[in-house]
Amino acid sequence: MSTPTASSLDAAACVAAPSPAVRLATAGPLHPLVWRARIGLTGGRAADDVWPSGWAALDAELPGGGWPGRALTELLLPGPGLGELRLLAPLLARLSAQGQALLWVQPPALLSAAGLLQMGCAPERCVVVRPELAPPRRAVRKGAPRAPWADLCWVLEQALRSGQAGAVLAWLPAHLPQEALRRLQLAAQAQAGPVFLWRPESDAAQASPAPLRLRLQAAGPDLLALTGVKRRGPSWTQPLLLPLPAVLSARGLGVAQAWAEDAAATQANAPLSAQRLRQRATGAALGVLPRRHVQEEEPSAWFKAP
């Protein structure tokens, strides 16, 4: 067997040594779209790109220990009024106290300044955009009809690319095309703060580029159940129950509990008692409507009456 010469060893060392271009390309954190499991559930994200939710039990379930930045977070729910804003209240109040702007895109109702102040969120830090009130932009091709969601997604994409908001909250219509969602996910890479997309529960079966998707359901008065539809890491199958700050009066709480018992009795095909019938009549007088799953309305401090 021949002994390797010094020249051959030097040649091998030159081949094995990485070039300055390779060292420069591999230095620093990974791109947010790249996920490497051995780095951890943060998926290569910097610690500054994770925002604590204010709920210790929820942070324990979220990859990285909080809401992700530079990415979309989808919150799927059957309808507004489940307590979804109270879920985000700790984060929004903290961002507002830091002087960051909060962008609200297509909210389901008008915001109330008094309610924002009560929650700890400065109204002057809130920017509300309602694209349906803006004049329609011209079609891309002459005579081509515009999709009803086109202006909404265009406004949202431009806002995300600017990266100026501390947090973005957007209410999207049902069955948004995959192309629009992919564009929003790419635009969110410029947004260091969290981006929350409220979507109908019926879209849970639709594929989405968002790395985090949660299903929100009402588990009772002032009680919210969260289930993971999609997240990095292990699957999330058991609902997480979060007790929200109470917003119902004692009378309204009794009516909501009565509706919950009515729903359980209906599923068991059991007759309603006279007391439950009286409480149902009281609920109708208060404007509390029956639902398949009991939901409490968001406090009037959040949204003004239409």
Side-chain angles (χ1 to χ4, degrees):
M1 180 179 294
S2 61
T3 303
T5 62
S7 59
S8 63
L9 291 177
D10 292 340
C14 292
V15 173
S19 65
V22 173
R23 290 196 299 268
L24 180 62
T26 56
L30 294 175
H31 191 277
L33 286 178
V34 178
W35 178 53
R36 297 174 64 179
R38 64 186 180 90
I39 296 179
L41 294 181
T42 56
R45 297 182 186 278
D48 295 340
D49 291 341
V50 178
W51 303 82
S53 66
W55 307 87
L58 178 58
D59 288 342
E61 297 288 346
L62 295 176
W67 300 115
R70 304 190 185 277
L72 301 178
T73 296
E74 291 188 5
L75 302 177
L76 302 112
L77 66 168
L82 296 180
E84 62 273 12
L85 293 181
R86 280 178 286 168
L87 172 67
L88 302 183
L91 171 65
L92 299 182
R94 188 167 64 251
L95 292 175
S96 179
Q98 296 173 358
Q100 301 192 45
L102 306 177
L103 179 62
W104 305 66
V105 181
Q106 200 75 3
L110 297 177
L111 293 179
S112 170
L116 295 172
L117 286 173
Q118 183 180 3
M119 187 268 297
C121 183
E124 62 271 16
R125 299 292 180 187
C126 296
V127 180
V128 181
V129 180
R130 304 186 67 86
E132 85 282 3
L133 301 181
R137 300 186 298 119
R138 65 180 182 85
V140 178
R141 298 186 306 272
K142 183 177 181 180
R146 292 189 57 80
W149 43 264
D151 287 332
L152 171 61
C153 290
W154 182 85
V155 169
L156 184 56
E157 182 180 350
Q158 301 309 309
L160 293 177
R161 292 188 184 278
S162 71
Q164 298 300 311
V168 178
L169 298 86
W171 283 258
L172 300 183
H175 310 304
L176 199 66
Q178 285 289 310
E179 179 184 357
L181 292 172
R182 286 194 296 267
R183 291 180 63 91
L184 293 178
Q185 172 62 22
L186 291 175
Q189 302 304 315
Q191 172 64 33
V195 181
F196 300 100
L197 302 182
W198 309 102
R199 301 188 64 190
E201 189 179 26
S202 58
D203 289 346
Q206 178 184 359
S208 172
L212 180 61
R213 308 181 74 197
L214 302 180
R215 179 184 285 108
L216 278 57
Q217 294 176 321
D222 300 319
L223 191 62
L224 188 64
L226 288 83
T227 308
V229 176
K230 176 184 176 183
R231 68 168 178 176
R232 294 186 174 117
S235 60
W236 179 355
T237 57
Q238 296 297 327
L240 174 64
L241 300 181
L242 292 182
L244 302 175
V247 296
L248 296 179
S249 63
R251 187 180 185 187
L253 182 61
V255 172
Q257 291 175 342
W259 283 121
E261 295 181 11
D262 288 354
T266 301
Q267 293 179 357
N269 295 324
L272 299 179
S273 64
Q275 181 181 4
R276 288 292 172 263
L277 292 174
R278 287 194 299 270
Q279 288 176 327
R280 171 174 288 187
T282 303
L286 290 175
V288 181
L289 301 178
R291 295 179 172 91
R292 182 177 180 182
H293 301 287
V294 177
Q295 324 169 6
E296 71 272 15
E297 296 294 338
E298 284 291 314
S300 58
W302 271 106
F303 290 124
K304 296 179 180 178

